[in-house]
Amino acid sequence: MPKRKSTHAEEPAAAAAAEPRRRSMRLQKTEDVPGPAAVSSKTGKQSVKKEKTSASDSKDEPAAKKSRSLKDMPETVAKKPSPPAKKTAKKNYWLLKAEPDTRYENGIDVKFSIDDLASRTEPEPWDGIRNYAARNNLRAMKKGDLAFFYHSNCKEPGIVGTMEIVQEHSPDLSAHDPKAPYYDPKSSASDPRWSVVHVKFNRKFPVPITLRELKEFGAAGKPLQNMQMIKQSRLSVSKVSAAEWEFLLGVVQDKAIKEYEARPPVCTGYSGTPDDDGDL
């Protein structure tokens, strides 16, 4: 049988047969202090890459041992970002009409004024709307929206106060009642056509804003020129923009101040006649 070719990995074994003691010392030295070009006993390749890695690890040892915890980081890095602020829901404004004077519909008095609303201890259903544009405005209302209370079909129509939407739309059950003022035989419980919202009293104005004044403010170039109530005067539920709402509240304040200043002074003192000594 031909002799197997020896490799570099087998040379230490041959030296061990001649000098077993020297072999032991040399191997011990080689294992304790790896040389720059150590040879793998399995592959015969030099592990130069491993030696470089070890040298690099030894050089960077202080940085490797340094621990970076959340506490050690700069405040700008360690501080957790705060959650984004919640956006406040946008509030919408409306105008709703009711009749403060007695009028009978289907044998029932439909009179309802702002004083009637103020006397309620529970949220009042705003029912009886039988116009699709007005109904759609009802359905667009959100809880927390505000609305002007408008007295209509009376001697002096106008805005008399404000109210708040406390419950969003639901089916108007009065439309299914034959005895109700605004009964609609075409509407059914399974397919309701009409809606109702619930409102509560907010405030009553000391001086109303009359329809005549609203028309003046609604002329071309005036603050209310685009107000839905002016453009669609027969609409019982209409939209009011935020700018129109603020303007009308300013008008209410100005009218209240003027009325207060126009009041005659009231004397509450004693109106006796002085005697001869000047005493009363």
Side-chain angles (χ1 to χ4, degrees):
M1 179 181 289
K3 193 173 182 179
R4 186 166 62 92
K5 186 177 180 181
S6 64
T7 63
H8 292 288
E10 294 171 337
E11 289 180 358
E19 296 178 7
R21 190 173 184 87
R22 287 185 61 189
R23 174 184 175 276
S24 176
M25 293 176 64
R26 190 173 73 174
L27 287 176
Q28 183 178 2
K29 183 178 179 181
T30 303
E31 292 173 359
D32 293 341
V33 185
V39 180
S40 172
S41 60
K42 293 183 179 180
T43 61
K45 296 181 180 179
Q46 294 179 349
S47 58
V48 178
K49 184 176 181 180
K50 184 176 181 180
E51 293 294 334
K52 289 182 178 180
T53 304
S54 300
S56 175
D57 292 344
S58 177
K59 183 178 179 181
D60 298 333
E61 184 176 357
K65 288 184 177 180
K66 184 179 179 181
S67 62
R68 296 189 65 188
S69 64
L70 189 63
K71 184 177 180 181
D72 297 329
M73 292 182 183
E75 185 178 356
T76 55
V77 177
K79 187 177 181 181
K80 293 182 180 180
S82 57
K86 293 183 180 180
K87 293 183 178 180
T88 305
K90 181 182 178 181
K91 184 175 292 187
N92 295 314
Y93 304 97
W94 310 91
L95 183 146
L96 288 79
K97 296 180 179 180
E99 300 180 34
D101 295 339
T102 295
R103 185 178 70 83
Y104 288 91
E105 187 78 32
N106 198 15
I108 297 176
D109 190 356
V110 296
K111 168 186 175 295
F112 191 75
S113 68
I114 193 168
D115 293 327
D116 293 323
L117 178 61
S119 67
R120 299 295 194 264
T121 58
E122 298 291 336
E124 179 72 13
W126 200 272
D127 54 9
I129 302 302
R130 300 296 181 262
N131 175 277
Y132 285 107
R135 181 209 63 181
N136 292 341
N137 284 336
L138 278 182
R139 292 182 176 181
M141 294 178 181
K142 300 297 181 184
K143 183 178 179 180
D145 286 357
L146 297 175
F148 286 123
F149 194 119
Y150 183 95
H151 280 174
S152 67
N153 197 22
C154 57
K155 183 178 180 180
E156 191 66 74
I159 298 174
V160 294
T162 61
M163 51 191 167
E164 180 182 352
I165 312 301
V166 295
Q167 184 177 326
E168 297 177 13
H169 74 89
S170 59
D172 185 354
L173 302 180
S174 68
H176 314 146
D177 184 3
K179 297 180 181 180
Y182 301 102
Y183 168 64
D184 182 2
K186 295 182 180 180
S187 181
S188 63
S190 60
D191 184 23
R193 288 187 174 191
W194 310 110
S195 299
V196 58
V197 296
H198 287 70
V199 302
K200 72 174 183 179
F201 174 80
N202 190 326
R203 62 179 289 206
K204 181 179 179 179
F205 296 153
V207 184
I209 305 177
T210 65
L211 175 60
R212 179 180 55 80
E213 292 172 318
L214 289 172
K215 289 182 177 180
E216 291 176 358
F217 295 134
K222 296 295 182 68
L224 302 183
Q225 63 176 347
N226 296 318
M227 190 173 181
Q228 188 177 32
M229 181 261 172
I230 303 298
K231 291 181 173 295
Q232 298 173 266
S233 59
R234 297 185 63 83
L235 196 61
S236 60
V237 180
S238 57
K239 300 176 183 179
V240 178
S241 69
E244 292 165 350
W245 180 271
E246 294 298 329
F247 172 77
L248 288 171
L249 290 183
V251 172
V252 170
Q253 184 175 1
D254 291 342
K255 293 189 69 173
I257 293 174
K258 289 179 181 178
E259 186 195 33
Y260 177 80
E261 292 176 345
R263 292 175 183 174
V266 178
C267 180
T268 58
Y270 181 74
S271 58
T273 303
D275 57 17
D276 296 337
D277 296 331
D279 298 329
L280 292 177

